[in-house]
Amino acid sequence: MTRAELKTEAKNQLRHNWGWAVLVTLIFTVVYIIFLVPSVNRSLQTTNGVNDVMGGASIVSVLAPNGWARAFGEDVLDILSGFFFVSFPLVFLHFIHGEKMGYIKGLFAVFTDGRFIPEFLNYFLSYIFQWLWTLLLIIPGIVKSYSYALTPYIVNDMVASGKEVHATTAITASRQLMKGHKWELFVLDLSFIPWYLLGIITLGIGYLWLVPYISTTKANFYRNLAGDQFSN
């Protein structure tokens, strides 16, 4: 399917389901805001922690574990909160197959039906891999983010079909599946820029419609590219 066809398909799927999609997005947005405020506070504390450690006058203060533990230990909570929102693309992957998850079930989709451990392991390692690539240069990190972009969908399909999923199974599968298709997904993302601008003009309200539109389109992108190879 072309980019235009993927978007048209998403619009058709959402046509009589906007109420559900907008409410799902609103619920996730509220939860995101709840996570966001502590995350900002943690970031500030992390910065202060690093400054306290590096600003110490002696080598003892630099090597002291307490400052570094406070500075970097909070990152674990950020990773966990990010993992929580893997539920969102899963909700719309199920949606394109005719299943509208309940609002509470959708919110915790990544934790249910045997998905938690394989989704978390693959999410955590893909996060680490992207971070390591980003240490080299920003561009390689971005490229790798597209290589791993389909990981949550693949885990979902493999778990649903009863396949064994190891810590890097879906990461490797996503990397292989995205060979020759990273640019397509990148351009697909760029095509939503005008809609993002419109969302800003509407003071963010438009995002309640834009985000499910994008998520449905990307779920279709995955299904069109992967077919049923991971669910058989």
Side-chain angles (χ1 to χ4, degrees):
M1 295 176 71
T2 65
R3 184 169 65 254
E5 289 171 337
L6 289 172
K7 288 184 168 184
T8 298
E9 179 69 10
K11 291 175 184 175
N12 290 337
Q13 290 163 331
L14 287 164
R15 181 167 298 152
H16 300 294
N17 297 287
W18 279 113
W20 170 83
V22 168
L23 189 51
V24 166
T25 305
L26 180 61
I27 291 171
F28 271 91
T29 300
V30 171
V31 174
Y32 174 76
I33 292 173
I34 293 172
F35 272 114
L36 180 62
V37 174
S39 179
V40 171
N41 290 334
R42 286 196 300 269
S43 297
L44 293 174
Q45 291 171 1
T46 298
T47 302
N48 291 335
V50 172
N51 290 337
D52 289 344
V53 172
M54 297 308 294
S58 67
I59 189 65
V60 174
S61 64
V62 173
L63 296 177
N66 291 342
W68 287 111
R70 184 179 66 180
F72 298 105
E74 299 291 350
D75 289 343
V76 175
L77 295 177
D78 291 333
I79 293 173
L80 292 175
S81 63
F83 171 69
F84 182 86
F85 291 99
V86 173
S87 290
F88 195 78
L90 298 183
V91 168
F92 285 91
L93 178 62
H94 284 252
F95 168 67
I96 66 171
H97 296 299
E99 178 189 354
K100 291 196 293 186
M101 285 189 180
Y103 302 117
I104 301 301
K105 181 180 179 180
L107 192 61
F108 295 97
V110 75
F111 299 96
T112 60
D113 299 328
R115 284 186 287 262
F116 172 60
I117 293 177
E119 285 283 11
F120 178 75
L121 290 176
N122 281 267
Y123 168 83
F124 178 73
L125 289 178
S126 65
Y127 181 96
I128 296 299
F129 294 157
Q130 290 176 53
W131 179 75
L132 291 174
W133 278 102
T134 304
L135 288 180
L136 298 177
L137 282 172
I138 297 298
I139 299 301
I142 295 174
V143 171
K144 284 301 176 181
S145 72
Y146 279 92
S147 293
Y148 306 147
L150 304 183
T151 300
Y153 301 117
I154 294 172
V155 172
N156 178 85
D157 278 359
M158 295 184 75
V159 169
S161 63
K163 295 179 180 178
E164 189 173 2
V165 185
H166 300 290
T168 60
T169 301
I171 295 173
T172 301
S174 177
R175 182 167 47 79
Q176 294 171 345
L177 191 62
M178 287 297 288
K179 285 182 178 178
H181 298 285
K182 290 186 285 292
W183 180 253
E184 293 176 29
L185 184 55
F186 178 69
V187 173
L188 180 62
D189 283 337
L190 291 181
S191 70
F192 289 107
I193 288 178
W195 292 104
Y196 279 112
L197 296 176
L198 183 60
I200 293 173
I201 293 173
T202 61
L203 302 178
I205 297 175
Y207 289 121
L208 292 175
W209 283 262
L210 174 60
V211 173
Y213 175 35
I214 294 174
S215 298
T216 304
T217 303
K218 287 190 172 183
N220 285 327
F221 174 87
Y222 165 71
R223 185 54 67 209
N224 179 66
L225 188 60
D228 57 1
Q229 62 178 292
F230 300 112
S231 54
N232 284 337

